[in-house]
Amino acid sequence: MARDTTAAPASAWRTGARAGATFVWHTVQGLALAFLLGGGAFFFYLTRLSGPGMPVARAGGAGAVVALLFSPPTLVALLLILFVGVYAHIGIAYARGRALQRVVAAHGDAVAARAAAAIAGRIEAMPRAHGALQRTADWLSVDALGQQLAPVLGQGRMPRMLAGFLIGRLPLSDLLAEWQAGRAAAGTSAVEAGQDPALRALIERRVGEALHDMAAPSRRPLLLALAAHAVLLAVGLWLTA
């Protein structure tokens, strides 16, 4: 049985506070990882730029400086420092996912019901002219959906964050095509007005699937970044050997 679609203000406040604390904690961890891995590898590599594999660095003169700036080992150093930002971005994205995961665990059913009602209401209010339904995604903004989720999640950044996640994750065009195909198969007129229970059930199911995907933030971006970072560092060490 689905939960009540409205949460008590105190419950929403507690969920928001816990989600915020989770976001801050994992963001700090992500930034620490960025400076430890990205910055550590960069400064270690800098010590190699004056090693035996870089005679131009010890030659002196303006020509040596220019040659050093445009040498392959220096370009590797510039790419290595960019990984600080890459790790920071991955860490913040992971922290956002963990915060949203906590919100979904507490109010997933209520969020799905509210979001489905808001999205379905937009679709039902649109004209059934050819192509009009395909513009629903343009009419559905983060602010509009966030206002619908505010009674469940409270005020603040969390409703907008979750709304942005849902809008970015839901394939509205495919969802509309699936709904229209179902209506055609059932012989339902496309011009009927009012609430459509089938549409609302479909959207709530797809929203629930999107929220379920949020339950386990992927570590794949971090693993890919680590692999690329290791390869780049290995190339740099080979160039300065």
Side-chain angles (χ1 to χ4, degrees):
M1 179 180 296
R3 300 175 188 172
D4 186 7
T5 56
T6 58
S11 176
W13 184 89
R14 285 195 301 269
T15 301
R18 291 171 182 171
T22 299
F23 176 76
V24 171
W25 171 244
H26 286 285
T27 297
V28 170
Q29 286 184 324
L31 294 178
L33 179 68
F35 285 107
L36 179 64
L37 292 180
F42 173 73
F43 285 111
F44 168 73
Y45 183 73
L46 285 183
T47 64
R48 303 280 300 184
L49 290 180
S50 59
M54 294 291 294
V56 68
R58 303 187 301 275
V65 173
V66 173
L68 180 61
L69 289 176
F70 291 96
S71 65
T74 304
L75 295 178
V76 170
L78 294 177
L79 292 176
L80 285 174
I81 194 62
L82 292 179
F83 271 88
V84 176
V86 171
Y87 286 128
H89 177 75
I90 292 174
I92 293 174
Y94 183 79
R96 185 182 297 111
R98 291 300 299 268
L100 293 176
Q101 177 186 2
R102 184 173 288 275
V103 173
V104 170
H107 303 294
D109 292 341
V111 167
R114 281 272 179 175
I119 297 173
R122 291 273 178 169
I123 296 174
E124 291 161 351
M126 293 191 68
R128 298 302 192 264
H130 177 70
L133 287 173
Q134 304 304 324
R135 296 194 296 272
T136 300
D138 299 331
W139 289 26
L140 187 64
S141 66
V142 172
D143 290 334
L145 186 55
Q147 291 175 1
Q148 294 293 327
L149 299 179
V152 176
L153 304 178
Q155 301 297 325
R157 296 183 58 188
M158 188 54 61
R160 296 190 76 259
M161 187 184 298
L162 189 54
F165 172 85
L166 289 176
I167 291 177
R169 184 65 62 92
L170 289 176
L172 289 179
S173 297
D174 295 341
L175 189 151
L176 288 170
E178 181 180 348
W179 170 60
Q180 290 174 324
R183 290 173 66 90
T188 305
S189 173
V191 297
E192 293 179 0
Q195 294 188 3
D196 187 334
L199 173 63
R200 292 170 180 258
L202 173 62
I203 296 178
E204 187 167 354
R205 175 173 60 82
R206 298 297 289 269
V207 170
E209 291 172 355
L211 295 177
H212 182 268
D213 292 341
M214 190 191 305
S218 175
R219 296 181 181 270
R220 184 179 180 184
L222 176 60
L223 297 178
L224 292 177
L226 287 172
H229 197 193
V231 170
L232 182 62
L233 182 59
V235 170
L237 295 178
W238 176 74
L239 290 174
T240 57

